[in-house]
Amino acid sequence: MIEQLILGGEPSPFDLPKGCYGLTVTEVQHYTDSLFRFRITRPKEFRFRSGEFVMIGLPNTEKPVFRAYSVASPSWDEELEFYSIKVPDGPLTEHLQKIQPGDTILMRKKSTGTLVNDALLPGKRVWMFSTGTGLAPFASLIRDPETYEKFETIVLVHGCRTAAELKYGEDLVASLRDDPLIGEMVDGHLFHYTSVTREDFPRQGRVTDLISSGKLFDDLGLQRMGPEEDRAMICGSMAMLRDTKQLCIEHGMTEGANNKPGEFVVERAFVD
């Protein structure tokens, strides 16, 4: 943990808030004018489960704005990675998108969330339904050996507006083949299905429409979802969460939670 808070390469005049870590940005990568990822140092004592989220902010005011961000790196990673949108007038992201290596990120010390393996009953397949930056918790889970130990098949479904917005997920999945920890687990077990809604692409359509029509299952050569063998995790926009949850229910699945595992779980933490 750092003693001097830095923002924009300059010392911040504000103190570290109680109950927070002050962590250093180590890497920033911009994908589009609305999407970027960043990595920060990780306190040795900080523990979390892959798929959970934390509250992060910036030392740019006496009372910083905090927002929920899923940790995109797995629980074993020595750093913490996040995947974020850029909102011109967002209370946090308006400033967060300007961070650079060496700057300070504020992070509250507790992690939580429902998109964890423990919240699902044992099954053979797990469907990870995401749109936009809703991919982040799944970026954590598909890098965790526990996910492959618990499920025979992992299907990562990611819907975006344009093909450029798929790059973070595409780069990540491609890198897993050579990952020394899980590379052998991925082959033949992880399926990555992408679609876009606003331009020409081999697969087009909203994630919910692809589920409803059965095209998603047909394209993958997999059976329709059912409560006996399938489990699902959902993360995306409010409308996507609502509609995908209803589709899971229509497929005979029941919602789970940390204290009562079920056939599917939904994450309701968002960034603006």
Side-chain angles (χ1 to χ4, degrees):
M1 195 164 62
I2 58 181
E3 297 180 0
Q4 176 64 63
L5 307 184
I6 304 293
L7 192 60
E10 301 292 334
S12 168
F14 304 105
D15 295 328
L16 179 69
K18 291 183 179 180
C20 288
Y21 294 115
L23 307 173
T24 303
V25 177
T26 61
E27 183 182 353
V28 181
Q29 181 177 359
H30 295 268
Y31 291 94
T32 69
D33 59 1
S34 61
L35 294 169
F36 72 110
R37 75 173 178 95
F38 60 96
R39 292 177 68 85
I40 61 176
T41 53
R42 176 179 179 175
K44 291 183 179 180
E45 70 274 18
F46 178 68
R47 298 288 181 269
F48 74 100
R49 294 179 296 172
S50 294
E52 289 189 319
F53 66 86
V54 293
M55 304 298 291
I56 67 173
L58 290 171
N60 59 350
T61 180
E62 188 174 346
K63 295 183 178 179
V65 172
F66 284 87
R67 291 290 184 267
Y69 270 77
S70 292
V71 183
S73 47
S75 61
W76 53 262
D77 202 324
E78 295 181 355
E79 292 187 335
L80 301 173
E81 181 172 300
F82 300 92
Y83 184 45
S84 177
I85 58 173
K86 306 175 189 179
V87 181
D89 299 318
L92 176 59
T93 58
E94 175 185 5
H95 308 288
L96 188 66
Q97 62 186 288
K98 301 172 185 176
I99 59 170
Q100 57 193 40
D103 281 355
T104 302
I105 295 290
L106 304 178
M107 187 180 85
R108 290 183 178 157
K109 296 183 177 182
K110 180 176 174 55
S111 63
T112 188
T114 56
L115 296 184
V116 292
N117 286 318
D118 293 344
L120 291 176
L121 294 168
K124 290 188 176 181
R125 285 188 302 194
V126 59
W127 299 84
M128 299 177 176
F129 296 117
S130 65
T131 55
T133 55
L135 179 72
F138 305 138
S140 175
L141 286 160
I142 64 173
R143 286 187 266 188
D144 194 322
E146 181 187 347
T147 304
Y148 298 88
E149 293 166 358
K150 186 166 184 177
F151 300 101
E152 295 178 10
T153 302
I154 297 97
V155 187
L156 176 61
V157 181
H158 188 207
C160 290
R161 297 170 302 174
T162 66
E165 295 175 345
L166 298 170
K167 184 170 175 55
Y168 173 73
E170 291 173 338
D171 288 351
L172 174 59
V173 172
S175 72
L176 295 183
R177 311 296 175 184
D178 299 319
D179 189 290
L181 185 62
I182 62 168
E184 295 182 356
M185 299 179 175
V186 170
D187 194 32
H189 298 279
L190 175 64
F191 293 82
H192 185 206
Y193 187 94
T194 56
S195 69
V196 303
T197 58
R198 297 190 183 179
E199 64 182 24
D200 289 336
F201 192 72
R203 293 171 302 280
Q204 291 180 283
R206 297 170 64 238
V207 168
T208 47
D209 291 338
L210 294 166
I211 298 172
S212 298
S213 68
K215 179 174 171 54
L216 169 65
F217 310 105
D218 294 340
D219 286 349
L220 291 167
L222 298 174
Q223 293 180 338
R224 271 52 169 177
M225 292 189 300
E228 293 80 15
E229 298 184 348
D230 291 281
R231 305 294 176 256
M233 296 176 164
I234 310 168
C235 192
S237 68
M238 285 296 291
M240 180 267 193
L241 294 181
R242 180 191 65 239
D243 294 346
T244 310
K245 173 181 176 176
Q246 183 58 37
L247 287 168
C248 287
I249 293 172
E250 291 174 4
H251 280 79
M253 304 164 79
T254 57
E255 186 172 1
N258 281 289
N259 60 353
K260 187 179 180 182
E263 281 96 33
F264 76 91
V265 287
V266 180
E267 188 56 85
R268 296 182 176 85
F270 298 99
V271 177
D272 64 5

